[in-house]
Amino acid sequence: MDVFKAVKMTENVYWVGAIDWAVRDFHGYSTGRGTTYNAYLILSEKVTLIDTVKKPFFEEMMMRISSVIDPSEIEIIVSNHSELDHTGSLQQTMAAVKPNNVYASPMGSRALAAHFHWEEDPIEVVKTGESIDLGNMTIDIIETRMLHWPDSMVSYLPAEKVLFSQDGFGMHLASTERFDDELPPSVLEVEARKYYANILLPFSPLVTALIGNLGKMELEIDLLCPDHGPVWRSSIDWILGKWASWAQKKPCPKAVVIYDTMWNSTRSMAEAVMEGLTLEGVSSIMMPLRASHISDIAAEVLEASALIVGSPTINGRIFPSVAECMNYLGGLKPCNLVGAAFGSYGWSGEAVKELNGLLEGMKVELVSEGLRTVYVPDEQVLEESVNLGRSVGLRLREICGGLE
Ligand code: FEO
């Protein structure tokens, strides 16, 4: 028995993807709610499949397709994005359905060749401004380079006002529900924010440009179909607005304090820093690295304008978990941050200086030269830690116009 069925989205578009309830680590991103790999079937004259799924989910996708048509009726496959969660089963799918045409962007064609080392390259290249003829309808191509890979593109089906946006506007969320309005808004907001912070943040200027372009093109979009998570039909303006806002990174009246600790000295300083922020009326969140995943920290930093980092010194360096977190955050390029560093040490005390360098490398505006203490902080050091929090809080208040 074919367990898995397609879900009808419009008159001629069906969701034929797969639900990954078990994945908890998506190359370093903690996917606490799992994810979906969305593929879409268009019942045009030339039946078309938009994207495929991660390799282990090939059978699930084929069963969903089979619930609507004989898969061998598929004539066209469009690969909007070559990352393997969407192309891992492309070769198997091509072998099973024997399509007449497989399309990808110029960079997609190269990426797929580098993945699969074809003996004879089967990919036909499509570019921005070109259309694919589906017989009784067309698909318009818009390349979206570096959103989030060089090959990325989106496909627009004018006949049914559907935009297939690959990773764009997606989220990692496994659910039985396929549409945005079937899920709690709070869950959509949390997962969309985490997805943007961890995948799109480094490319924010390009996100701004894309959303501007979509506006200029005046595309009518009734359905926004990403490759992960729910399909947007009721909150399209909401998710576009969220992405535009995250990309612009306007001042946010919130501080994030990150630290790790060996003997609770840096922890005591972190707690005092938090008190200082609170005294300044600043909303703050503490993210102890022993209890926080770096991908959750990234999501908090996305909607903060202050980043304060604490680390002990170990073997003349910052603590390994702090180094990992700073390396990760640095790659995501969060902008418009103020901050400071602090930490306890035993005899050499390099961590704060090293953290200052890392924060400056991230273009964080430092409000002080940092605060460090030998071994256990005494009353004076704890007061200085409170004052460090107050200094960051004051600067944040200036940036955010008083937080009113
Ligand atoms: Fe969902 Fe960039 O792959």
Side-chain angles (χ1 to χ4, degrees):
M1 179 195 169
D2 282 357
V3 172
F4 301 108
K5 307 295 181 196
V7 179
K8 188 165 183 166
M9 304 260 118
T10 67
E11 190 58 31
N12 291 294
V13 176
Y14 288 77
W15 177 84
V16 290
I19 306 172
D20 189 345
W21 295 98
V23 67
R24 289 294 179 269
D25 182 336
F26 200 100
H27 42 63
Y29 175 146
S30 71
T31 47
R33 290 185 166 104
T35 195
T36 64
Y37 312 108
N38 298 338
Y40 301 94
L41 186 69
I42 307 173
L43 297 187
S44 37
E45 256 175 36
K46 299 177 189 175
V47 176
T48 298
L49 181 65
I50 305 287
D51 291 323
T52 64
V53 294
K54 200 173 174 180
K55 198 167 188 175
F57 296 87
F58 168 72
E59 294 295 342
E60 180 173 340
M61 178 188 73
M62 293 302 282
M63 282 187 208
R64 295 194 196 277
I65 293 170
S66 298
S67 72
V68 184
I69 55 158
D70 181 336
S72 67
E73 291 179 44
I74 293 173
E75 291 189 43
I76 294 171
I77 298 177
V78 178
S79 172
N80 277 327
H81 177 27
S82 63
E83 194 164 6
L84 290 164
D85 47 335
H86 311 297
T87 58
S89 61
L90 179 62
Q91 279 184 308
Q92 281 171 284
T93 309
M94 289 166 62
V97 309
K98 298 183 176 53
N100 295 333
N101 312 92
V102 182
Y103 295 101
S105 69
M107 296 299 281
S109 164
R110 278 199 234 171
L112 292 171
H115 284 160
F116 299 122
H117 307 289
W118 317 105
E119 280 183 19
E120 192 175 331
D121 190 346
I123 306 298
E124 295 176 52
V125 166
V126 283
K127 299 177 182 170
T128 295
E130 294 181 352
S131 295
I132 299 170
D133 177 16
L134 312 187
N136 58 339
M137 48 186 100
T138 59
I139 279 181
D140 301 335
I141 299 302
I142 306 165
E143 289 172 75
T144 56
R145 289 188 188 188
M146 294 317 301
L147 291 176
H148 69 117
W149 273 23
D151 57 273
S152 300
M153 67 181 200
V154 300
S155 306
Y156 181 60
L157 184 70
E160 304 210 332
K161 300 176 184 170
V162 178
L163 183 67
F164 302 101
S165 58
Q166 43 98 16
D167 280 342
F169 312 110
M171 68 182 71
H172 288 311
L173 173 61
S175 62
T176 51
E177 296 78 10
R178 296 274 66 80
F179 292 101
D180 54 352
D181 47 36
E182 299 170 331
L183 288 153
S186 58
V187 172
L188 297 180
E189 174 141 16
V190 165
E191 295 302 338
R193 180 180 68 157
K194 185 169 178 178
Y195 189 90
Y196 187 95
N198 286 280
I199 296 178
L200 280 306
L201 184 54
F203 312 111
S204 286
L206 297 173
V207 170
T208 301
L210 171 66
I211 291 175
N213 280 345
L214 290 178
K216 278 185 209 154
M217 292 167 75
E218 297 182 346
L219 293 187
E220 290 183 82
I221 304 172
D222 285 348
L223 216 58
L224 179 57
C225 295
D227 274 357
H228 299 288
V231 166
W232 302 97
R233 66 178 175 192
S234 298
S235 304
I236 293 172
D237 288 344
W238 178 84
I239 190 64
L240 289 173
K242 277 289 176 191
W243 272 50
S245 152
W246 289 325
Q248 285 174 20
K249 189 61 164 62
K250 290 181 179 162
C252 308
K254 191 179 99 176
V256 178
V257 177
I258 303 165
Y259 77 92
D260 208 338
T261 195
M262 294 169 70
W263 294 104
N264 288 321
S265 292
T266 304
R267 174 184 173 176
S268 298
M269 295 173 78
E271 288 167 348
V273 167
M274 287 290 285
E275 284 301 305
L277 290 160
T278 304
L279 287 171
E280 288 303 325
V282 170
S283 171
S284 311
I285 185 164
M286 178 114 91
M287 303 294 280
L289 280 160
R290 299 295 169 99
S292 311
H293 195 278
I294 53 175
S295 57
D296 291 316
I297 292 172
E300 295 296 339
V301 172
L302 178 64
E303 290 188 337
S305 289
L307 175 62
I308 311 175
V309 187
S311 176
T313 297
I314 183 167
N315 300 325
R317 300 193 171 185
I318 58 178
F319 202 71
S321 59
V322 183
E324 182 197 14
C325 182
M326 293 301 288
N327 182 53
Y328 186 68
L329 289 180
L332 293 175
K333 299 184 176 66
C335 59
N336 303 337
L337 289 165
V338 299
F342 63 92
S344 161
Y345 67 100
W347 49 95
S348 57
E350 290 89 344
V352 167
K353 190 174 172 194
E354 195 177 332
L355 276 175
N356 280 344
L358 292 171
L359 289 166
E360 284 172 338
M362 292 167 63
K363 298 187 172 58
V364 175
E365 176 194 320
L366 297 178
V367 303
S368 87
E369 62 186 19
L371 177 63
R372 61 180 197 160
T373 188
V374 178
Y375 291 123
V376 178
D378 60 14
E379 286 299 314
Q380 185 186 332
V381 170
L382 291 176
E383 190 176 332
E384 288 172 12
S385 302
V386 171
N387 288 338
L388 183 72
R390 293 194 78 150
S391 299
V392 175
L394 275 169
R395 183 70 186 117
L396 194 56
R397 289 177 69 93
E398 285 172 10
I399 290 168
C400 297
L403 307 182
E404 274 80 37

